[in-house]
Amino acid sequence: MDKKKVASFKKNLSEEKVRLEKELREIEVGNLNQSQSVTSGENSYEDHFADSGTATFERERDLSLDRNARDILARVRQALDRIENGTYGICTHCGKEIDLARLEALPYADLCIVCKKKEEGW
Ligand SMILES: [Zn+2]
């Protein structure tokens, strides 16, 4: 892959990394605030039920966001490592070049489309 192309992917990935790290910090701060605000009030059963239902929902949403962001961050870091050691854009499974269009859509892709489809059982 030509150096300019790699440099532009590196820029995008670095920005994505910064964004994800910020997002994860915000999620952590949010979780902290949430657990501190949990107090045992004298709510009626119904109020309590509604509150805990909402809290559970939000917590689950945060957790899945958290997992998602962490997962993507790990992949972004791996992609940056591959840029450093010159293997960026090469499928980690079969060693063929990953389609440029695929990398543009998903700069942290580590599998070519053929291997990805196999992995997902298509
Ligand atoms: Zn492959």
Side-chain angles (χ1 to χ4, degrees):
M1 198 187 299
D2 91 78
K3 284 197 170 111
K4 272 187 191 163
K5 205 77 200 164
V6 175
S8 91
F9 281 123
K10 186 178 178 178
K11 185 173 171 287
N12 288 347
L13 285 161
S14 303
E15 284 168 4
E16 183 71 359
K17 180 169 161 273
V18 170
R19 196 186 66 76
L20 286 163
E21 283 169 347
K22 185 167 172 281
E23 192 176 309
L24 281 167
R25 268 200 303 276
E26 278 166 8
I27 291 169
E28 275 164 25
V29 170
N31 285 345
L32 226 66
N33 289 344
Q34 201 171 41
S35 53
Q36 279 166 357
S37 71
V38 173
T39 48
S40 51
E42 293 295 312
N43 297 334
S44 73
Y45 175 74
E46 262 171 88
D47 281 349
H48 181 71
F49 187 75
D51 282 353
S52 65
T54 310
T56 304
F57 171 74
E58 288 194 344
R59 181 158 295 243
E60 275 173 11
R61 197 189 54 186
D62 279 353
L63 282 176
S64 78
L65 251 179
D66 190 21
R67 266 199 295 271
N68 201 21
R70 265 178 219 286
D71 185 49
I72 294 169
L73 181 58
R75 298 180 64 179
V76 166
R77 283 182 173 146
Q78 284 164 9
L80 285 164
D81 283 348
R82 288 197 300 276
I83 287 175
E84 291 309 317
N85 61 36
T87 58
Y88 181 72
I90 294 167
C91 175
T92 57
H93 190 75
C94 69
K96 286 182 187 154
E97 280 188 24
I98 300 171
D99 213 33
L100 208 54
R102 174 163 163 72
L103 285 171
E104 270 161 5
L106 202 72
Y108 51 80
D110 57 355
L111 293 176
C112 70
I113 195 71
V114 176
C115 293
K116 185 66 187 168
K117 281 178 179 173
K118 275 187 200 155
E119 190 192 70
E120 288 178 354
W122 288 13

